[in-house]
Amino acid sequence: GAVVSQHPSRVICKSGTSVKIECRSLDFQATTMFWYRQFPKQSLMLMATSNEGSKATYEQGVEKDKFLINHASLTLSTLTVTSAHPEDSSFYICSARDGDTYQPQHFGDGTRLSIL
Amino acid sequence: LAKTTQPISMDSYEGQEVNITCSHNNIATNDYITWYQQFPSQGPRFIIQGYKTKVTNEVASLFIPADRKSSTLSLPRVSLSDTAVYYCLVGVRTGFQKLVFGTGTRLLVSP
């Protein structure tokens, strides 16, 4: 079945560091991918919609200069958390949908980001 | 996007059938109902999707009444490994629709 891979699975870094998270669709092409953030004991919150070859669409309240999204190919989207601070520590999850419009979205296994 | 309401938590025992109900009073004509399962520190996993009446797969059944204002996810004979958070989502079944997750239902299965 369709698989979405995220890398890295866990990141621990110092405050002020920029961190890049990759999201790959392994066996299908995804012109659109989604990025979510999830805090402990809370639900997933959509951050942005990543569109291949064009600018990402950010949800209200999400700083586009803070969370840089690049979707340069049909199988890869990246999320860069720039100048990360402890409040950016969270679980980041991406999802993608196969080109077939009737397929459900498939999620990666998430990236645990911890900023010290 | 139609808002959904689910119980925050449910408890069950191994071998029992678990039914999780989701309310979606404002569901639109074109909306489908989709359920996802999430384990700690993992991304959500698709369980089942339906539009009306009943849908069944190897994992669960989804019951949708005629007015479609609610739906029930049925998990037969749960095991400890079914302990997870279950999310009900409602939306158009198009290719690139963004998903809006509600609070989900935290299911705890005990021995």
Side-chain angles (χ1 to χ4, degrees):
Chain A
V3 176
V4 174
S5 174
Q6 264 186 258
H7 178 80
S9 59
R10 185 174 180 90
V11 179
I12 302 173
C13 57
K14 295 180 179 180
S15 183
T17 304
S18 292
V19 179
K20 180 184 286 188
I21 302 170
E22 294 185 346
C23 179
R24 294 181 184 274
S25 57
L26 296 186
D27 54 358
F28 64 95
Q29 294 183 335
T31 56
T32 299
M33 294 182 176
F34 302 90
W35 287 95
Y36 298 82
R37 181 167 54 182
Q38 185 175 32
F39 292 107
K41 303 294 185 183
Q42 295 186 22
S43 183
L44 284 78
M45 291 179 54
L46 179 66
M47 299 175 66
T49 302
S50 171
N51 302 297
E52 187 269 334
S54 64
K55 292 183 179 180
T57 303
Y58 291 82
E59 295 299 303
Q60 188 173 8
V62 178
E63 302 175 56
K64 62 180 181 181
D65 295 330
K66 173 76 171 178
F67 300 99
L68 301 178
I69 292 174
N70 184 281
H71 194 156
S73 78
L74 287 171
T75 59
L76 173 65
S77 175
T78 60
L79 169 68
T80 301
V81 183
T82 61
S83 186
H85 293 284
E87 58 267 28
D88 297 322
S89 297
S90 188
F91 192 51
Y92 292 86
I93 309 170
C94 71
S95 73
R97 187 171 227 152
D98 198 333
D100 184 334
T101 59
Y102 296 132
Q103 293 298 313
Q105 288 185 26
H106 297 277
F107 287 79
D109 273 340
T111 297
R112 176 77 57 192
L113 176 61
S114 299
I115 307 298
L116 305 177
Chain B
L1 297 170
K3 182 180 178 180
T4 60
T5 303
Q6 303 173 232
I8 292 179
S9 64
M10 293 182 68
D11 294 321
S12 183
Y13 293 97
E14 281 188 294
Q16 290 189 335
E17 178 185 74
V18 171
N19 295 308
I20 305 174
T21 298
C22 178
S23 296
H24 28 80
N25 292 318
N26 297 323
I27 189 169
T29 303
N30 294 333
D31 285 345
Y32 281 73
I33 301 151
T34 308
W35 286 80
Y36 281 86
Q37 174 193 56
Q38 186 182 26
F39 298 113
S41 297
Q42 293 187 25
R45 184 173 69 100
F46 171 82
I47 301 176
I48 199 166
Q49 182 180 74
Y51 184 80
K52 62 180 179 180
T53 61
K54 176 184 175 182
V55 179
T56 297
N57 60 24
E58 64 277 7
V59 178
S61 294
L62 178 60
F63 298 93
I64 305 168
D67 65 6
R68 303 199 328 120
K69 294 184 182 299
S70 67
S71 59
T72 299
L73 174 71
S74 180
L75 304 173
R77 298 180 298 281
V78 295
S79 63
L80 297 178
S81 62
D82 292 316
T83 293
V85 179
Y86 293 82
Y87 293 99
C88 162
L89 293 92
V90 172
V92 179
R93 196 175 68 159
T94 56
F96 312 116
Q97 171 214 0
K98 60 183 183 182
L99 299 179
V100 177
F101 284 79
T103 58
T105 298
R106 193 171 298 272
L107 173 66
L108 175 62
V109 180
S110 300

